[in-house]
């Protein structure tokens, strides 16, 4: 994961987009925080919040400040709806695991499509 993070940061550096690089850096630091702190620590939820916001921020930045086609826009809208579902279900009795997985997979699709197919 560390090597992937370094590679991603170097890739964003090569693209010469400082804001995206900062967002990815926040995302990586927050992911490490999630890994090292379990759900019994309150800071885990702070890191989770940062992960969700960093992902959404990255997607919004690339959809509204750059050229965004219908596929990327649909992916962004799916991400927003999924985040709302997670926010509603987090205090309920529903398990948010599958929603979180979809959120991450949708971001992975967005990132790959943006950089390789878009």
């Amino acid at each position: 994961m560390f090597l992937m993070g370094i590679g991603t940061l170097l890739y964003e550096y090569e693209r010469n987009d400082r804001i995206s690089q900062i967002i990815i850096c926040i995302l990586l630091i927050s992911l490490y925080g999630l890994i090292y702190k379990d759900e019994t620590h309150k800071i885990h939820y702070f890191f989770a919040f940062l992960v969700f916001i960093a992902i959404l921020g990255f997607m919004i930045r690339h959809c509204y400040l750059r050229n965004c086609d219908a596929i990327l826009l649909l992916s962004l809208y799916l991400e927003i709806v999924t985040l709302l579902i997670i926010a509603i279900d987090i205090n309920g009795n529903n398990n948010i695991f599958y929603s979180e997985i979809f959120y991450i997979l949708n971001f992975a699709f967005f990132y790959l499509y943006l950089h390789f197919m878009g």
Side-chain angles (χ1 to χ4, degrees):
M1 186 173 154
F2 178 75
L3 292 176
M4 182 213 58
I6 295 294
T8 304
L9 286 174
L10 290 173
Y11 177 74
E12 292 298 332
Y13 178 78
E14 181 180 307
R15 292 183 61 237
N16 200 23
D17 186 346
R18 295 283 184 217
I19 302 298
S20 288
Q21 194 174 16
I22 290 168
I23 292 171
I24 293 296
C25 192
I26 291 169
L27 176 61
L28 290 170
I29 291 168
S30 300
L31 285 171
Y32 286 117
L34 281 176
I35 290 169
Y36 290 112
K37 293 294 180 184
D38 63 22
E39 293 178 4
T40 60
H41 294 89
K42 292 190 186 248
I43 192 133
H44 175 87
Y45 295 101
F46 175 72
F47 286 130
F49 174 78
L50 285 179
V51 166
F52 287 124
I53 296 305
I55 288 172
L56 196 59
F58 183 89
M59 293 175 78
I60 289 170
R61 173 171 175 71
H62 286 281
C63 266
Y64 290 106
L65 297 179
R66 304 204 179 260
N67 292 335
C68 182
D69 64 12
I71 293 173
L72 290 175
L73 198 56
L74 176 63
S75 182
L76 172 62
Y77 290 151
L78 284 172
E79 201 78 343
I80 292 169
V81 169
T82 305
L83 185 57
L84 290 173
I85 290 169
I86 291 169
I88 291 167
D89 287 346
I90 199 163
N91 289 324
N93 293 328
N94 296 331
N95 188 344
I96 62 171
F97 178 75
Y98 294 112
S99 298
E100 290 175 326
I101 294 297
F102 181 79
Y103 193 86
I104 292 166
L105 289 175
N106 186 46
F107 175 66
F109 167 78
F110 182 95
Y111 192 87
L112 292 172
Y113 183 86
L114 176 68
H115 295 96
F116 296 112
M117 295 172 246

